[in-house]
């Protein structure tokens, strides 16, 4: 009995699989009516000596987490081109667009609304996680700067501020009595000008914006936070944070009013990165797109009809 083993190359296998993948990815029934869409970028190919870092952007349904599509680039022109190419009937259903505090995305969405490619009532929301993250970054930079000024070196084991670097980023309601004691002792010993303390207070004020479902209350808290960070005596890290919060004021309140976040978009991006690791470095965006859409482009509730899709909420505990 003879055993014959055939060796096939990648292109041979892909030529047999590609037609089926295209049929599934381009199925008009795959993507239904979408009322909220989120955009987020991820790295497709890392930078090398001969090429720049290449990004792709994922368009995700904020209610279901379905990956609608992925496209090359993360600039305003890339987003504008992709949205313009979508069917008019699908575009007219969109009510909310959510994105990170990225000026390119905001510029494209505003242009699409002005040109009538998106409904006039479409609202743009920013992701609460990234707003709070900016406040956390202000704490870290103020801590590092204070560390250099007081000790003359980077953080080391035994330094007061270096020892509480994680406690400073933890939510205040999660600190136990021992954590509060460590926080107070370290700030007293390593923060002579109370600049790190001010940044910590600004972070908690920023978090409070998303703890309410009332847009008026959220707007008042946001205004108070901007005023606190804009004080002439505030650390430079808070001055920069105030400028960002002021520029994204409307989008932040829209996130609270519509309960829209990019949480499911970020979760879809995690799956896309997992596919990238398994793909062993795809360089063809067309092949990469097909693999992503077949793996993550279905509607979750179609596979689990008995599962109730919950409405999206912010990751913070609401009042």
């Amino acid at each position: 009995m003879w055993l014959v083993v055939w060796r096939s190359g990648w292109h041979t296998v892909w030529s047999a699989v590609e037609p089926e993948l295209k049929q599934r990815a381009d199925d008009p029934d795959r993507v239904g009516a979408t009322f909220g869409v989120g955009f987020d970028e991820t790295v497709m190919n890392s930078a090398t000596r001969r090429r720049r870092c290449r990004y792709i952007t994922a368009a995700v349904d904020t209610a279901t987490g379905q990956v609608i599509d992925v496209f090359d680039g993360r600039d305003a022109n890339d987003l504008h081109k992709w949205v313009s190419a979508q069917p008019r009937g699908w575009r007219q259903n969109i009510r909310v667009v959510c994105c990170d505090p990225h000026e390119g995305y905001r510029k494209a969405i505003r242009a699409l609304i002005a040109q009538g490619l998106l409904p006039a009532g479409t609202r743009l929301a920013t992701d609460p996680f990234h707003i709070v993250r900016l406040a956390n970054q202000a704490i870290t930079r103020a801590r590092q700067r204070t560390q250099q000024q007081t000790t003359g070196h980077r953080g080391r084991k035994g330094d007061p501020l270096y020892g509480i670097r994680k406690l400073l980023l933890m939510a205040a309601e999660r600190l136990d009595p021992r954590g509060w004691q460590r926080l107070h002792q370290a700030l007293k010993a390593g923060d002579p000008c109370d600049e790190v303390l001010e940044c910590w207070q600004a972070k908690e004020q920023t978090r409070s914006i998303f703890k309410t479902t009332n847009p008026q209350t959220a707007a008042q808290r946001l205004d108070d936070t901007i005023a606190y960070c804009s004080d002439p005596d505030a650390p430079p890290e808070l001055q920069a944070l105030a400028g960002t919060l002021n520029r994204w004021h409307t989008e932040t309140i829209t996130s609270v009013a519509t309960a829209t976040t990019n949480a499911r978009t970020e979760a879809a991006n995690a799956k896309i990165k997992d596919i990238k690791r398994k793909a062993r470095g795809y360089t063809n965006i067309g092949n990469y797109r097909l693999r992503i859409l077949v793996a993550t482009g279905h509607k979750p509730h179609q596979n689990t009809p008995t599962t109730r899709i919950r409405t999206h909420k912010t990751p913070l505990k609401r009042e």
Side-chain angles (χ1 to χ4, degrees):
M1 180 177 180
W2 294 90
L3 179 63
V4 179
V5 179
W6 294 93
R7 298 181 62 182
S8 300
W10 184 91
H11 293 283
T12 303
V13 177
W14 183 253
S15 62
V17 174
E18 186 178 14
E20 178 65 22
L21 297 183
K22 285 186 176 181
Q23 182 179 357
R24 294 186 182 186
D26 298 336
D27 185 1
D29 296 330
R30 183 180 65 84
V31 179
T34 304
F35 303 99
V37 59
F39 294 99
D40 192 24
E41 79 280 358
T42 185
V43 176
M44 178 179 175
N45 300 119
S46 301
T48 64
R49 294 179 60 185
R50 292 181 173 84
R51 74 181 181 206
R52 296 183 178 181
C53 185
R54 187 179 183 183
Y55 292 89
I56 62 171
T57 298
V60 180
D61 190 325
T62 58
T64 64
Q66 177 191 16
V67 178
I68 301 170
D69 201 356
V70 293
F71 56 91
D72 199 2
R74 63 167 182 171
D75 297 332
N77 293 334
D78 301 321
L79 179 58
H80 190 284
K81 180 180 179 181
W82 180 85
V83 175
S84 303
Q86 303 310 304
R88 179 176 178 83
W90 180 84
R91 287 188 275 110
Q92 293 305 312
N93 289 323
I94 296 178
R95 296 294 177 266
V96 182
V97 177
C98 188
C99 65
D100 304 343
H102 179 41
E103 189 59 39
Y105 289 160
R106 179 166 67 173
K107 179 181 178 181
I109 297 301
R110 287 179 174 178
L112 289 165
I113 296 174
Q115 296 169 8
L117 296 175
L118 285 177
T122 303
R123 306 177 69 180
L124 180 61
T126 187
D127 186 40
F129 168 80
H130 288 83
I131 295 296
V132 176
R133 183 186 178 189
L134 291 174
N136 285 336
Q137 290 176 348
I139 295 178
T140 301
R141 290 166 182 163
R143 175 184 61 80
Q144 293 172 343
R145 178 175 54 81
T146 304
Q147 174 81 28
Q148 287 283 354
Q149 292 175 351
T150 56
T151 64
H153 58 74
R154 297 176 59 184
R156 301 174 183 173
K157 184 177 179 180
D159 293 338
L161 292 182
Y162 185 76
I164 62 168
R165 63 191 185 281
K166 295 183 179 179
L167 288 179
L168 288 170
L169 305 181
M170 188 178 294
E173 62 270 15
R174 296 183 58 191
L175 290 174
D176 56 13
R178 182 173 176 273
W180 280 111
Q181 183 180 7
R182 287 180 55 198
L183 194 66
H184 284 295
Q185 290 178 351
L187 289 175
K188 183 178 180 181
D191 187 25
C193 299
D194 292 336
E195 292 185 326
V196 179
L197 175 61
E198 291 183 21
C199 292
W200 182 86
Q201 292 173 340
K203 182 260 293 186
E204 291 301 320
Q205 290 185 11
T206 304
R207 292 183 64 249
S208 70
I209 299 169
F210 304 103
K211 287 185 177 182
T212 179
T213 57
N214 189 327
Q216 288 76 20
T217 304
Q220 183 60 50
R221 293 178 180 180
L222 178 56
D223 292 338
D224 294 341
T225 304
I226 294 175
Y228 179 83
C229 296
S230 301
D231 189 275
D233 296 330
E237 294 79 10
L238 292 188
Q239 299 282 352
L241 177 62
T244 304
L245 294 178
N246 192 37
R247 288 193 301 271
W248 290 85
H249 188 286
T250 303
E251 291 77 10
T252 302
I253 302 306
T254 301
S255 176
V256 175
T258 60
T260 302
T261 73
N262 247 2
R264 286 187 170 87
T265 307
E266 296 289 345
N269 250 350
K271 295 180 181 178
I272 291 174
K273 293 176 182 178
D274 185 54
I275 294 172
K276 176 188 174 184
R277 287 190 290 268
K278 294 177 181 178
R280 300 292 183 182
Y282 270 5
T283 56
N284 188 313
I285 182 63
N287 297 344
Y288 194 28
R289 171 181 176 271
L290 290 178
R291 185 158 183 165
I292 291 171
L293 294 184
V294 172
T296 63
H298 60 275
K299 290 187 176 181
H301 64 274
Q302 288 182 346
N303 289 345
T304 56
T306 59
T307 302
R308 182 179 179 183
I309 302 299
R310 299 180 180 178
T311 57
H312 44 281
K313 298 181 179 179
T314 62
L316 302 177
K317 185 182 295 184
R318 291 183 175 273
E319 294 178 352

